[in-house]
Amino acid sequence: MKLLVTGGAGFIGSNFVRHILGQHPDWQVTNLDKLTYAGNLENLADIQAQAGYRFVKGDIAGRDLVDGILKEGYDAVVNFAAESHVDRSILDASPFVDTNFKGAQVLLEGARVHGVGRFLQVSTDEVYGSSEEGYFTEESPLDPSSPYSASKAAADLMCLAYHRTHSLDVVVTRCTNNYGPYQFPEKLIPLVITNALEDKAIPVYGDGLYRRDWIHVLDHCRALEAVLLKGKAGRVYNIAGGQEQPNIELIKLILKALRKPEGLITFVKDRPAHDRRYAIDCSRIEKELGWAPRFNIGNGMADTVDWYLKNGPWWRNIKSGEYEKYYQRMYGSR
Ligand code: NAD
Ligand code: DAU
Protein backbone atom coordinates (compact mmCIF):
# COMPACT_ATOMS: atom_id res chain seq x y z
CA MET A 1 0.00 0.00 0.00
CA LYS A 2 1.16 3.54 -0.76
CA LEU A 3 0.23 5.94 2.07
CA LEU A 4 0.38 9.69 2.49
CA VAL A 5 0.62 10.38 6.22
CA THR A 6 0.31 14.04 7.21
CA GLY A 7 1.63 15.35 10.52
CA GLY A 8 3.84 12.27 10.82
CA ALA A 9 6.54 14.19 12.71
CA GLY A 10 4.19 14.85 15.64
CA PHE A 11 3.32 12.64 18.59
CA ILE A 12 0.67 10.22 17.26
CA GLY A 13 1.73 10.48 13.60
CA SER A 14 5.32 9.40 14.34
CA ASN A 15 4.12 6.47 16.45
CA PHE A 16 1.78 5.52 13.59
CA VAL A 17 4.51 5.66 10.91
CA ARG A 18 6.76 3.45 13.08
CA HIS A 19 3.87 1.04 13.78
CA ILE A 20 2.81 0.76 10.13
CA LEU A 21 6.31 0.25 8.74
CA GLY A 22 6.90 -2.35 11.46
CA GLN A 23 3.71 -4.23 10.58
CA HIS A 24 3.93 -3.78 6.79
CA PRO A 25 7.59 -3.40 5.76
CA ASP A 26 6.60 -3.51 2.06
CA TRP A 27 4.32 -0.43 2.32
CA GLN A 28 5.47 2.99 1.10
CA VAL A 29 4.89 5.95 3.40
CA THR A 30 5.28 9.61 2.48
CA ASN A 31 5.23 11.84 5.56
CA LEU A 32 4.11 15.42 4.79
CA ASP A 33 4.72 17.69 7.78
CA LYS A 34 5.15 21.45 8.14
CA LEU A 35 7.39 20.99 11.21
CA THR A 36 5.60 23.47 13.43
CA TYR A 37 6.77 23.79 17.05
CA ALA A 38 5.17 20.33 17.60
CA GLY A 39 6.81 18.58 14.63
CA ASN A 40 10.15 16.98 15.38
CA LEU A 41 12.15 14.81 12.99
CA GLU A 42 13.95 13.29 15.99
CA ASN A 43 10.68 11.41 16.60
CA LEU A 44 11.48 9.35 13.49
CA ALA A 45 15.27 9.26 13.65
CA ASP A 46 15.20 5.44 13.65
CA ILE A 47 12.96 5.35 10.55
CA GLN A 48 14.42 8.05 8.32
CA ALA A 49 16.72 5.74 6.35
CA GLN A 50 14.21 2.89 6.08
CA ALA A 51 13.28 1.76 2.57
CA GLY A 52 9.75 2.84 1.71
CA TYR A 53 9.84 5.96 3.93
CA ARG A 54 10.07 9.51 2.57
CA PHE A 55 9.77 12.87 4.34
CA VAL A 56 8.43 16.02 2.66
CA LYS A 57 8.42 19.33 4.55
CA GLY A 58 5.32 21.35 3.74
CA ASP A 59 1.87 22.64 4.60
CA ILE A 60 -1.26 20.53 4.05
CA ALA A 61 -3.07 23.77 3.20
CA GLY A 62 -0.68 24.36 0.27
CA ARG A 63 -2.80 23.41 -2.73
CA ASP A 64 0.04 23.11 -5.28
CA LEU A 65 2.26 21.06 -2.99
CA VAL A 66 -0.56 18.68 -2.04
CA ASP A 67 -1.60 18.39 -5.68
CA GLY A 68 1.97 17.58 -6.75
CA ILE A 69 2.27 14.83 -4.13
CA LEU A 70 -1.14 13.21 -4.67
CA LYS A 71 -0.56 13.23 -8.44
CA GLU A 72 2.00 10.46 -7.75
CA GLY A 73 -0.92 8.12 -6.95
CA TYR A 74 -1.78 7.03 -3.39
CA ASP A 75 -3.95 4.26 -1.98
CA ALA A 76 -4.75 6.25 1.15
CA VAL A 77 -4.27 9.52 3.02
CA VAL A 78 -4.12 9.44 6.84
CA ASN A 79 -4.53 12.98 8.12
CA PHE A 80 -2.93 13.64 11.51
CA ALA A 81 -1.67 17.14 10.68
CA ALA A 82 -3.21 19.62 13.08
CA GLU A 83 -2.76 22.27 15.66
CA SER A 84 -3.61 20.03 18.59
CA HIS A 85 -3.40 22.00 21.85
CA VAL A 86 -6.58 23.46 23.35
CA ASP A 87 -4.73 26.15 25.35
CA ARG A 88 -2.99 27.47 22.22
CA SER A 89 -6.36 27.65 20.42
CA ILE A 90 -7.57 29.96 23.19
CA LEU A 91 -4.56 32.25 22.68
CA ASP A 92 -4.93 32.30 18.85
CA ALA A 93 -7.52 30.33 16.88
CA SER A 94 -6.37 31.28 13.38
CA PRO A 95 -3.75 28.54 12.76
CA PHE A 96 -6.39 26.04 13.90
CA VAL A 97 -8.74 27.18 11.15
CA ASP A 98 -5.92 27.25 8.58
CA THR A 99 -4.59 23.76 9.28
CA ASN A 100 -7.39 21.79 10.91
CA PHE A 101 -10.20 22.96 8.66
CA LYS A 102 -8.75 24.52 5.51
CA GLY A 103 -5.85 22.04 5.37
CA ALA A 104 -8.23 19.10 5.64
CA GLN A 105 -10.33 20.48 2.78
CA VAL A 106 -7.24 20.93 0.57
CA LEU A 107 -6.29 17.30 1.22
CA LEU A 108 -9.84 16.10 0.54
CA GLU A 109 -9.93 17.98 -2.75
CA GLY A 110 -6.55 16.56 -3.77
CA ALA A 111 -7.74 13.07 -2.83
CA ARG A 112 -10.89 13.53 -4.91
CA VAL A 113 -9.12 14.88 -7.99
CA HIS A 114 -6.37 12.25 -7.95
CA GLY A 115 -8.55 9.25 -7.08
CA VAL A 116 -7.07 8.38 -3.69
CA GLY A 117 -8.57 5.07 -2.51
CA ARG A 118 -9.30 6.02 1.11
CA PHE A 119 -9.13 9.14 3.30
CA LEU A 120 -8.75 8.59 7.05
CA GLN A 121 -9.39 11.68 9.14
CA VAL A 122 -7.87 11.39 12.63
CA SER A 123 -10.28 13.26 14.84
CA THR A 124 -11.05 13.59 18.53
CA ASP A 125 -13.68 12.82 21.16
CA GLU A 126 -13.62 16.56 21.97
CA VAL A 127 -15.99 17.23 19.06
CA TYR A 128 -18.89 15.85 21.16
CA GLY A 129 -18.20 18.32 23.96
CA SER A 130 -18.53 17.57 27.65
CA SER A 131 -20.82 15.11 29.41
CA GLU A 132 -21.09 14.71 33.19
CA GLU A 133 -22.54 11.21 32.73
CA GLY A 134 -23.13 8.58 30.04
CA TYR A 135 -21.14 7.98 26.85
CA PHE A 136 -21.32 9.62 23.44
CA THR A 137 -21.85 7.33 20.44
CA GLU A 138 -20.91 8.11 16.84
CA GLU A 139 -24.50 9.38 16.36
CA SER A 140 -24.35 11.92 19.21
CA PRO A 141 -24.56 15.57 18.14
CA LEU A 142 -21.36 17.57 17.87
CA ASP A 143 -21.05 20.29 20.52
CA PRO A 144 -17.44 21.52 20.63
CA SER A 145 -16.36 23.99 23.33
CA SER A 146 -12.92 25.26 22.25
CA PRO A 147 -11.63 26.77 18.99
CA TYR A 148 -9.52 23.58 18.69
CA SER A 149 -12.47 21.19 18.94
CA ALA A 150 -14.64 23.46 16.77
CA SER A 151 -12.01 23.33 14.01
CA LYS A 152 -11.84 19.52 14.29
CA ALA A 153 -15.65 19.22 14.22
CA ALA A 154 -15.78 21.42 11.12
CA ALA A 155 -13.20 19.19 9.42
CA ASP A 156 -15.15 16.03 10.34
CA LEU A 157 -18.25 17.49 8.71
CA MET A 158 -16.30 18.48 5.59
CA CYS A 159 -14.90 14.93 5.34
CA LEU A 160 -18.37 13.40 5.58
CA ALA A 161 -19.67 15.94 3.04
CA TYR A 162 -16.96 14.85 0.54
CA HIS A 163 -18.14 11.28 1.02
CA ARG A 164 -21.80 12.15 0.42
CA THR A 165 -21.23 14.65 -2.38
CA HIS A 166 -18.30 13.10 -4.25
CA SER A 167 -18.44 9.45 -3.08
CA LEU A 168 -14.90 9.84 -1.74
CA ASP A 169 -14.07 6.87 0.48
CA VAL A 170 -13.78 8.66 3.83
CA VAL A 171 -13.50 7.23 7.34
CA VAL A 172 -13.35 9.39 10.48
CA THR A 173 -11.99 8.28 13.85
CA ARG A 174 -12.63 10.07 17.15
CA CYS A 175 -10.23 9.10 19.89
CA THR A 176 -9.86 9.87 23.59
CA ASN A 177 -6.75 11.44 25.20
CA ASN A 178 -3.52 9.77 24.07
CA TYR A 179 -0.32 9.36 26.08
CA GLY A 180 2.97 7.57 25.44
CA PRO A 181 6.41 8.09 23.89
CA TYR A 182 7.20 11.28 21.93
CA GLN A 183 4.31 13.39 23.29
CA PHE A 184 5.15 17.08 23.33
CA PRO A 185 5.50 18.25 26.96
CA GLU A 186 2.75 20.88 26.75
CA LYS A 187 0.12 18.12 27.22
CA LEU A 188 -0.83 17.01 30.73
CA ILE A 189 0.97 13.67 31.11
CA PRO A 190 4.40 14.57 29.66
CA LEU A 191 4.17 17.96 31.40
CA VAL A 192 3.63 16.26 34.75
CA ILE A 193 6.38 13.68 34.20
CA THR A 194 9.00 16.16 33.01
CA ASN A 195 8.16 18.89 35.54
CA ALA A 196 8.30 16.31 38.33
CA LEU A 197 11.67 15.05 37.09
CA GLU A 198 12.92 18.66 37.22
CA ASP A 199 11.28 19.22 40.66
CA LYS A 200 9.15 21.98 39.17
CA ALA A 201 5.56 22.93 40.09
CA ILE A 202 2.80 20.95 38.39
CA PRO A 203 -0.01 23.30 37.28
CA VAL A 204 -3.48 21.81 37.89
CA TYR A 205 -6.34 23.70 36.29
CA GLY A 206 -9.35 24.55 38.47
CA ASP A 207 -10.26 21.95 41.09
CA GLY A 208 -8.42 19.12 39.28
CA LEU A 209 -11.61 17.05 39.11
CA TYR A 210 -11.92 17.22 35.32
CA ARG A 211 -12.05 13.73 33.84
CA ARG A 212 -10.43 12.29 30.73
CA ASP A 213 -10.32 8.75 29.29
CA TRP A 214 -6.69 7.86 28.57
CA ILE A 215 -5.44 5.60 25.77
CA HIS A 216 -1.88 4.49 25.08
CA VAL A 217 -0.80 5.82 21.68
CA LEU A 218 0.06 2.32 20.41
CA ASP A 219 -3.52 1.16 21.04
CA HIS A 220 -4.68 4.18 19.04
CA CYS A 221 -2.28 3.29 16.20
CA ARG A 222 -3.61 -0.30 16.10
CA ALA A 223 -7.16 1.05 15.95
CA LEU A 224 -6.26 3.40 13.07
CA GLU A 225 -4.66 0.50 11.19
CA ALA A 226 -7.89 -1.52 11.64
CA VAL A 227 -10.06 1.35 10.39
CA LEU A 228 -7.72 1.99 7.45
CA LEU A 229 -7.86 -1.65 6.38
CA LYS A 230 -11.39 -2.68 7.34
CA GLY A 231 -13.49 0.40 8.14
CA LYS A 232 -16.67 1.06 6.18
CA ALA A 233 -16.67 4.11 3.89
CA GLY A 234 -18.58 7.10 5.25
CA ARG A 235 -18.45 5.75 8.80
CA VAL A 236 -17.24 7.31 12.04
CA TYR A 237 -15.44 5.14 14.62
CA ASN A 238 -15.00 6.12 18.26
CA ILE A 239 -11.75 4.87 19.85
CA ALA A 240 -11.43 4.79 23.65
CA GLY A 241 -8.94 3.52 26.19
CA GLY A 242 -11.63 2.82 28.80
CA GLN A 243 -9.37 4.31 31.51
CA GLU A 244 -11.26 7.32 32.86
CA GLN A 245 -9.48 9.29 35.59
CA PRO A 246 -9.90 12.63 37.37
CA ASN A 247 -6.80 14.70 36.54
CA ILE A 248 -5.71 14.97 40.16
CA GLU A 249 -5.71 11.16 40.62
CA LEU A 250 -3.72 10.68 37.44
CA ILE A 251 -1.16 13.26 38.58
CA LYS A 252 -0.81 11.54 41.97
CA LEU A 253 -0.29 8.20 40.19
CA ILE A 254 2.58 9.68 38.15
CA LEU A 255 4.17 11.34 41.19
CA LYS A 256 4.02 8.01 43.04
CA ALA A 257 5.65 6.19 40.11
CA LEU A 258 8.45 8.79 40.11
CA ARG A 259 8.70 8.89 43.93
CA LYS A 260 8.13 12.65 43.86
CA PRO A 261 6.18 14.61 46.52
CA GLU A 262 2.54 15.66 46.05
CA GLY A 263 3.69 19.06 47.30
CA LEU A 264 4.69 19.82 43.69
CA ILE A 265 0.98 20.05 42.82
CA THR A 266 -0.04 23.69 42.33
CA PHE A 267 -3.64 24.70 41.62
CA VAL A 268 -3.77 27.43 38.96
CA LYS A 269 -6.43 29.45 37.12
CA ASP A 270 -8.84 27.30 35.13
CA ARG A 271 -8.94 26.96 31.35
CA PRO A 272 -11.87 28.93 29.83
CA ALA A 273 -14.72 26.65 28.67
CA HIS A 274 -12.90 23.70 30.26
CA ASP A 275 -14.84 20.52 29.40
CA ARG A 276 -15.65 18.66 32.63
CA ARG A 277 -15.59 15.15 31.23
CA TYR A 278 -14.99 13.31 27.95
CA ALA A 279 -16.47 9.84 27.62
CA ILE A 280 -17.31 7.89 24.48
CA ASP A 281 -18.75 4.50 23.62
CA CYS A 282 -16.41 2.53 21.35
CA SER A 283 -18.46 -0.64 20.95
CA ARG A 284 -18.72 -0.07 17.17
CA ILE A 285 -15.00 -0.54 16.48
CA GLU A 286 -14.85 -3.42 18.97
CA LYS A 287 -17.77 -5.29 17.40
CA GLU A 288 -17.23 -4.44 13.71
CA LEU A 289 -13.43 -4.44 13.47
CA GLY A 290 -12.42 -6.65 16.40
CA TRP A 291 -10.19 -4.00 18.01
CA ALA A 292 -9.68 -3.67 21.78
CA PRO A 293 -7.08 -1.75 23.79
CA ARG A 294 -4.19 -3.79 25.24
CA PHE A 295 -2.84 -1.26 27.75
CA ASN A 296 -4.46 -0.18 31.00
CA ILE A 297 -3.47 2.97 32.86
CA GLY A 298 -1.12 0.99 35.13
CA ASN A 299 1.09 -0.73 32.55
CA GLY A 300 0.64 2.10 30.04
CA MET A 301 1.86 4.70 32.51
CA ALA A 302 4.77 2.51 33.61
CA ASP A 303 5.84 2.20 29.94
CA THR A 304 5.49 5.97 29.43
CA VAL A 305 7.31 7.05 32.60
CA ASP A 306 10.11 4.65 31.67
CA TRP A 307 10.36 6.18 28.17
CA TYR A 308 10.68 9.75 29.53
CA LEU A 309 13.26 8.58 32.07
CA LYS A 310 15.33 7.03 29.29
CA ASN A 311 14.89 9.89 26.82
CA GLY A 312 15.92 12.93 28.85
CA PRO A 313 17.82 14.59 25.97
CA TRP A 314 14.67 14.44 23.78
CA TRP A 315 12.41 16.37 26.17
CA ARG A 316 15.12 18.56 27.74
CA ASN A 317 15.96 19.80 24.24
CA ILE A 318 12.32 20.74 23.63
CA LYS A 319 11.85 22.35 27.03
CA SER A 320 14.95 24.50 26.70
CA GLY A 321 13.88 26.02 23.37
CA GLU A 322 10.91 28.05 22.10
CA TYR A 323 8.59 26.08 24.35
CA GLU A 324 9.94 27.79 27.45
CA LYS A 325 8.64 31.15 26.17
CA TYR A 326 5.16 29.69 25.68
CA TYR A 327 5.22 28.09 29.14
CA GLN A 328 6.15 31.36 30.80
CA ARG A 329 3.36 33.13 28.91
CA MET A 330 0.91 30.55 30.31
CA TYR A 331 2.13 30.22 33.87
CA GLY A 332 4.64 33.02 34.49
CA SER A 333 8.22 32.42 35.54
CA ARG A 334 8.93 29.61 37.98
P1 NAD B 1 0.96 17.02 17.53
O1 NAD B 1 0.69 18.45 17.82
O2 NAD B 1 1.92 16.28 18.37
O3 NAD B 1 1.44 16.86 16.02
C1 NAD B 1 0.85 17.57 14.96
C2 NAD B 1 1.78 17.45 13.75
O4 NAD B 1 1.15 18.11 12.65
C3 NAD B 1 3.15 18.10 13.95
O5 NAD B 1 4.17 17.26 13.46
C4 NAD B 1 3.06 19.38 13.11
O6 NAD B 1 4.31 19.82 12.61
C5 NAD B 1 2.12 18.92 12.00
N1 NAD B 1 1.43 20.05 11.36
C6 NAD B 1 0.78 21.08 11.97
N2 NAD B 1 0.28 21.92 11.04
C7 NAD B 1 0.59 21.40 9.82
C8 NAD B 1 0.33 21.79 8.49
N3 NAD B 1 -0.37 22.91 8.21
N4 NAD B 1 0.79 21.02 7.48
C9 NAD B 1 1.51 19.88 7.75
N5 NAD B 1 1.80 19.48 8.99
C10 NAD B 1 1.33 20.21 10.01
O7 NAD B 1 -0.48 16.33 17.54
P2 NAD B 1 -0.91 14.87 18.03
O8 NAD B 1 -1.22 14.91 19.46
O9 NAD B 1 0.04 13.88 17.49
O10 NAD B 1 -2.31 14.74 17.26
C11 NAD B 1 -2.35 14.24 15.92
C12 NAD B 1 -3.78 14.23 15.46
O11 NAD B 1 -4.57 13.41 16.32
C13 NAD B 1 -4.45 15.61 15.46
O12 NAD B 1 -5.25 15.70 14.31
C14 NAD B 1 -5.31 15.60 16.72
O13 NAD B 1 -6.45 16.41 16.55
C15 NAD B 1 -5.70 14.12 16.80
N6 NAD B 1 -5.98 13.61 18.15
C16 NAD B 1 -5.06 13.82 19.15
C17 NAD B 1 -5.32 13.26 20.41
C18 NAD B 1 -4.34 13.43 21.54
O14 NAD B 1 -4.66 13.07 22.68
N7 NAD B 1 -3.14 13.95 21.32
C19 NAD B 1 -6.51 12.54 20.63
C20 NAD B 1 -7.41 12.39 19.58
C21 NAD B 1 -7.13 12.92 18.34
O1 DAU C 1 -9.62 14.20 24.07
C1 DAU C 1 -8.69 14.20 23.01
C2 DAU C 1 -7.88 15.47 23.07
O2 DAU C 1 -7.01 15.33 24.19
C3 DAU C 1 -7.10 15.77 21.81
O3 DAU C 1 -8.00 16.00 20.76
C4 DAU C 1 -6.19 16.97 22.00
O4 DAU C 1 -5.37 17.16 20.85
C5 DAU C 1 -5.31 16.74 23.20
O5 DAU C 1 -4.51 17.88 23.46
C6 DAU C 1 -6.15 16.40 24.43
O6 DAU C 1 -6.90 17.57 24.88
P1 DAU C 1 -7.03 17.95 26.43
O7 DAU C 1 -7.34 19.37 26.54
O8 DAU C 1 -7.91 16.99 27.14
O9 DAU C 1 -5.51 17.62 26.87
P2 DAU C 1 -4.47 18.38 27.82
O10 DAU C 1 -3.31 17.46 27.99
O11 DAU C 1 -4.21 19.76 27.39
O12 DAU C 1 -5.27 18.45 29.20
C7 DAU C 1 -5.75 17.26 29.85
C8 DAU C 1 -6.49 17.70 31.10
O13 DAU C 1 -5.55 18.22 32.04
C9 DAU C 1 -7.51 18.80 30.90
O14 DAU C 1 -8.59 18.61 31.79
C10 DAU C 1 -6.75 20.08 31.26
C11 DAU C 1 -5.83 19.59 32.36
N1 DAU C 1 -4.53 20.27 32.47
C12 DAU C 1 -3.77 20.38 31.35
C13 DAU C 1 -2.52 20.98 31.39
C14 DAU C 1 -1.68 21.11 30.15
C15 DAU C 1 -4.09 20.74 33.70
O15 DAU C 1 -4.78 20.62 34.74
N2 DAU C 1 -2.84 21.32 33.74
C16 DAU C 1 -2.05 21.47 32.64
O16 DAU C 1 -0.94 22.05 32.77
Side-chain angles (χ1 to χ4, degrees):
M1 188 179 293
K2 193 169 168 187
L3 275 190
L4 175 62
V5 172
T6 68
F11 163 47
I12 307 174
S14 62
N15 277 284
F16 180 77
V17 169
R18 183 175 294 100
H19 171 76
I20 282 296
L21 287 172
Q23 294 296 308
H24 309 278
D26 55 326
W27 285 17
Q28 290 175 52
V29 174
T30 300
N31 172 13
L32 171 62
D33 197 298
K34 187 177 170 182
L35 297 183
T36 66
Y37 77 93
N40 185 350
L41 288 179
E42 279 181 40
N43 297 1
L44 287 168
D46 55 327
I47 302 290
Q48 62 180 358
Q50 193 162 322
Y53 173 74
R54 174 170 70 125
F55 175 71
V56 178
K57 182 171 189 273
D59 189 338
I60 59 163
R63 207 174 280 273
D64 293 344
L65 173 70
V66 166
D67 197 58
I69 294 171
L70 289 177
K71 207 183 271 176
E72 296 164 4
Y74 281 84
D75 298 304
V77 172
V78 184
N79 183 28
F80 292 94
E83 290 293 336
S84 66
H85 193 37
V86 172
D87 292 328
R88 288 182 190 255
S89 80
I90 296 165
L91 294 174
D92 180 6
S94 58
F96 289 75
V97 175
D98 295 344
T99 291
N100 301 4
F101 181 57
K102 179 74 181 155
Q105 187 273 326
V106 168
L107 287 172
L108 285 162
E109 185 58 18
R112 180 185 78 80
V113 168
H114 296 293
V116 170
R118 166 148 283 193
F119 190 101
L120 197 173
Q121 171 71 2
V122 182
S123 188
T124 168
D125 63 350
E126 293 200 16
V127 297
Y128 299 117
S130 184
S131 172
E132 298 264 351
E133 55 188 35
Y135 296 87
F136 293 119
T137 71
E138 289 85 351
E139 271 68 48
S140 299
L142 305 190
D143 187 20
S145 302
S146 71
Y148 161 69
S149 50
S151 68
K152 293 295 289 186
D156 284 14
L157 296 179
M158 186 60 80
C159 288
L160 296 170
Y162 263 73
H163 172 68
R164 286 192 206 150
T165 309
H166 300 296
S167 302
L168 184 67
D169 181 327
V170 168
V171 275
V172 175
T173 58
R174 296 184 181 141
C175 189
T176 59
N177 283 59
N178 284 226
Y179 66 95
Y182 300 102
Q183 187 167 27
F184 195 88
E186 66 188 350
K187 308 285 166 57
L188 182 68
I189 287 179
L191 179 79
V192 173
I193 296 173
T194 60
N195 274 20
L197 287 173
E198 293 182 302
D199 297 309
K200 284 179 181 160
I202 289 159
V204 179
Y205 298 167
D207 60 7
L209 296 176
Y210 294 84
R211 302 174 78 89
R212 297 291 184 265
D213 176 1
W214 296 95
I215 185 171
H216 191 283
V217 65
L218 293 181
D219 279 331
H220 187 193
C221 291
R222 287 176 39 255
L224 293 172
E225 181 188 14
V227 172
L228 178 66
L229 292 172
K230 302 184 283 187
K232 195 171 157 219
R235 212 146 168 78
V236 176
Y237 293 90
N238 285 346
I239 303 168
Q243 304 290 307
E244 191 178 322
Q245 292 275 336
N247 293 339
I248 195 74
E249 295 306 322
L250 182 77
I251 291 166
K252 287 180 182 170
L253 187 87
I254 297 170
L255 290 174
K256 197 170 170 201
L258 290 170
R259 295 199 180 87
K260 292 288 182 179
E262 290 185 7
L264 289 175
I265 293 173
T266 309
F267 289 91
V268 298
K269 201 168 141 241
D270 211 348
R271 171 187 279 175
H274 194 171
D275 284 327
R276 195 65 170 163
R277 172 176 177 260
Y278 295 138
I280 54 173
D281 174 331
C282 70
S283 52
R284 173 178 287 174
I285 187 171
E286 290 179 338
K287 285 187 194 138
E288 291 184 12
L289 307 185
W291 171 88
R294 290 179 184 163
F295 285 93
N296 58 42
I297 200 77
N299 58 19
M301 198 55 69
D303 169 82
T304 304
V305 164
D306 188 51
W307 189 86
Y308 282 86
L309 281 169
K310 287 183 177 143
N311 289 275
W314 181 88
W315 59 262
R316 282 183 203 281
N317 193 24
I318 291 170
K319 288 188 100 167
S320 63
E322 273 301 299
Y323 169 73
E324 182 63 19
K325 286 185 207 152
Y326 163 77
Y327 190 92
Q328 290 198 5
R329 197 167 153 204
M330 289 291 295
Y331 307 113
S333 53
R334 287 160 294 194

